[in-house]
Amino acid sequence: MEWIEALSGSTVGLDTAPLAYYIEEHAALLAKTKPFFEAAERNEFRM
């Protein structure tokens, strides 16, 4: 995803809402939040 690539090497702040959507596997929003957390696990940016 282009917007995740733009974060590469940056320090990223995170609001709690996307975290909740990811943890709860929110049907409508998981597809948008999952790539962010996967990139974070790969250490593509700092949180």
Side-chain angles (χ1 to χ4, degrees), residues 14-27:
L14 180 66
D15 189 50
T16 56
L19 180 59
Y21 299 148
Y22 179 72
I23 291 171
E24 295 174 358
E25 297 181 355
H26 190 283

Side-chain angles (χ1 to χ4, degrees), residues 4 6 9 12 16-17 21-22 28 33 40-41 43 46-47:
I4 292 176
V12 178
T16 56
Y21 299 148
Y22 179 72
T33 57
E41 288 179 6
N43 295 315
R46 296 174 301 282
M47 294 193 336

Side-chain angles (χ1 to χ4, degrees), residues 25-39:
E25 297 181 355
H26 190 283
L29 298 170
L30 185 60
K32 294 184 181 197
T33 57
K34 188 175 180 178
F36 174 85
F37 289 101
E38 289 173 343

